[in-house]
């Protein structure tokens, strides 16, 4: 109820009367008593019908307002509700905000080894990125999500999966474009592993040579050991 009240444009009396009418009509279930009550649609089809009855502009306004209210709740951490915020901002048409939260959700899932969820959230964010104009900020966001998508795909689909190759190639290209040597090294190492385990030895050797060249330029002993191992 507290969330509904925060989002609602009506005063308490009108809101509570309206909710009471919906409960009496059997459209909503109510658990608990006000102001600690919670509500649930009696059936998903009722929820869908109510949602579809709204004009697109009105739906977007509600999604934006819900997201703003959720952002303002300090008792729950942002990562915990990041996919909920991402969903509402996506439906509100505020793609920049949505992408940021899809990325947070994907990174959280990756750290918790919830790899299937991480893939879904990173993929959703990458889809929305296509709607934004190309610039360095957009490229940076995509790079971070591709570098997250690669290990998540490794865990679910296997290190030799084509999805891993695609993520690593894109991460490699973006790293070179942005001049990000650290990300480039990560992308190349994962790409080398992918090629090696697929038995594509020519591609694996070519990629390991690139890693070796980076180690020579960086003059870092540990990086050189990694590069020699790849070669």
């Amino acid at each position: 109820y507290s969330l509904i009240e925060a989002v609602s444009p009506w005063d308490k009396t009108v809101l509570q009367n309206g909710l009471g009418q919906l409960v009496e009509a059997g459209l909503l279930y109510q658990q608990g008593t006000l102001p600690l009550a919670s509500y649930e649609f009696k059936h998903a089809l009722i929820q869908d019908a109510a949602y579809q009855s709204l004009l697109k502009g009105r739906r977007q306004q509600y999604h934006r307002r819900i997201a703003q209210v959720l952002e303002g709740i300090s008792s729950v951490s942002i990562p915990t509700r990041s996919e909920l915020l991402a969903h509402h901002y996506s439906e509100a048409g505020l793609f920049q905000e949505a992408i940021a939260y899809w990325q947070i959700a994907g990174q959280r899932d990756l750290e918790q080894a919830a790899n299937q969820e991480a893939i879904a959230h990173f993929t959703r964010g990458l889809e929305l990125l296509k709607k934004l104009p190309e610039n360095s900020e957009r490229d940076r966001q995509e790079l971070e999500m591709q570098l997250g998508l690669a290990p998540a795909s490794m865990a679910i689909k296997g290190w030799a999966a084509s999805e891993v190759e695609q993520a690593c190639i894109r991460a490699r290209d973006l790293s070179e474009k942005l001049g990000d040597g650290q990300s480039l090294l990560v992308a190349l190492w994962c790409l080398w592993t992918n090629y090696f385990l697929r038995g594509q030895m020519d591609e694996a050797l070519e990629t390991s040579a690139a890693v070796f060249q980076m180690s020579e330029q960086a003059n870092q002993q540990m990086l050189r050991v990694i590069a020699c191992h790849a070669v």
Side-chain angles (χ1 to χ4, degrees), residues 17-225:
N17 287 339
L19 289 170
Q21 291 173 12
L22 292 172
V23 171
E24 291 178 6
L27 299 177
L28 294 181
Y29 289 127
Q30 177 179 333
Q31 293 182 332
T33 57
L34 293 172
L36 302 177
S38 61
Y39 297 88
E40 183 179 359
F41 280 97
K42 186 176 181 180
H43 196 284
L45 291 176
I46 298 175
Q47 180 179 357
D48 291 341
Y51 187 76
Q52 294 301 326
S53 70
L54 296 169
L55 295 175
K56 181 179 179 180
R58 180 62 62 84
R59 290 203 303 263
Q60 290 182 323
Q61 291 176 13
Y62 286 155
H63 281 295
R64 180 173 64 251
R65 176 61 180 154
I66 291 168
Q68 291 169 344
V69 168
L70 289 173
E71 276 187 318
I73 300 174
S74 59
S75 60
V76 183
S77 65
I78 289 292
T80 301
R81 62 179 187 275
S82 52
E83 67 267 29
L84 190 58
L85 285 161
H87 164 73
H88 285 296
Y89 274 127
S90 296
E91 295 301 321
L94 298 174
F95 301 134
Q96 190 67 63
E97 293 85 346
I99 291 165
Y101 282 118
W102 285 125
Q103 184 176 347
I104 292 173
Q107 189 60 42
R108 177 208 62 201
D109 294 332
L110 187 63
E111 293 171 358
Q112 297 176 351
N115 294 296
Q116 194 70 60
E117 292 80 2
I119 291 172
H121 292 150
F122 284 135
T123 300
R124 189 73 178 96
L126 290 169
E127 289 173 351
L128 291 182
L129 269 176
K130 297 176 183 178
K131 300 178 181 292
L132 300 183
E134 291 190 14
N135 53 46
S136 58
E137 181 182 356
R138 179 203 173 283
D139 289 342
R140 172 61 59 184
Q141 285 182 298
E142 182 181 356
L143 173 59
E144 292 176 358
M145 282 193 279
Q146 293 288 4
L147 288 176
L149 186 61
S153 298
M154 284 179 180
I156 294 297
K157 300 177 182 295
W159 285 45
S162 60
E163 290 85 351
V164 175
E165 179 190 17
Q166 293 169 9
C168 290
I169 288 176
R170 184 57 180 161
R172 178 199 64 191
D173 294 345
L174 288 167
S175 297
E176 291 176 342
K177 182 179 180 180
L178 293 168
D180 188 335
Q182 187 63 38
S183 296
L184 178 58
L185 177 61
V186 173
L188 288 174
W189 178 260
C190 291
L191 188 58
W192 167 78
T193 305
N194 178 266
Y195 285 145
F196 181 76
L197 293 177
R198 291 166 69 175
Q200 297 179 226
M201 295 307 172
D202 290 339
E203 291 84 351
L205 184 58
E206 181 181 351
T207 306
S208 68
V211 176
F212 189 84
Q213 184 178 5
M214 289 185 66
S215 72
E216 292 284 282
Q217 295 172 348
N219 193 27
Q220 295 180 11
Q221 185 175 5
M222 183 53 67
L223 178 55
R224 184 176 175 83
V225 170

